[in-house]
Every structure is written in structure tokens, then in C-alpha cells.
Amino acid sequence: MPYWHYGDEAGWVGPVVMIVGAVLILAALGVVIALLVRRQAAAPGPGRGPAPGHGPGPGPDEAMTILRQRFARGEIDQEEYDRRREALRH
């Protein structure tokens, strides 16, 4: 091994460059991961948004209109219509 000490004239520069390079690569990887997580959290999809009964939703007038439409289409019977209408009044 005649070249065992080849490259020692750089001294401390080589290890410092390696450490700085590794830190920069890890920082870039962290930024990419953070952006992906943030993008995923902001993306709409199933299971996103407020829980049922929380957050904005149809107001009482709109809910009553929807109830009347469902009754007119035959999706619900008279008993269900009356029960839900009373619930919307309170």
C-alpha cells in the first residue's frame, strides 16, 4: 500500500466538507418531507373537514327545503318527515 497516506494534505477540509454536505442533504430532505405533509394535510378528500354537526352546514331554511324535497321524491315517509321537521324547529 504505497499510497496509504494519499490525500492527507487536505487536513481538516475534507471532513468539514463532508459534514456540511450531509447537513445540507438532510435539510433538503426535511424540507421536501415537510412540504409533502403540509400538502397532504391541506388536500381535500374523504374524511377531511369538520365532524358531522360541527362547522358550517345548511342553515335551518336550507335544511327544511332539503327535507321537503326528500319527502316529495318519496325518499322518506310521513312519519320520518314529521320527526325531522320537529327536530329542525327546535
Side-chain angles (χ1 to χ4, degrees), residues 63-85:
M64 198 61 169
T65 301
I66 293 170
L67 182 64
R68 286 188 197 110
Q69 290 172 351
R70 289 187 64 199
F71 181 65
R73 287 192 298 259
E75 294 177 10
I76 57 175
D77 60 3
Q78 181 72 42
E79 181 181 321
E80 181 75 11
Y81 174 79
D82 291 338
R83 187 176 62 81
R84 290 181 184 238
R85 186 183 61 198

Side-chain angles (χ1 to χ4, degrees), residues 3-56:
Y3 300 108
W4 178 262
H5 296 291
Y6 184 76
D8 278 346
E9 59 271 357
W12 56 272
V13 176
V16 169
V17 170
M18 281 183 22
I19 291 171
V20 169
V23 168
L24 289 176
I25 289 172
L26 290 175
L29 184 62
V31 168
V32 168
I33 290 172
L35 289 174
L36 288 174
V37 167
R38 188 173 183 185
R39 181 179 177 197
Q40 181 66 23
R48 305 270 186 215
H54 297 86

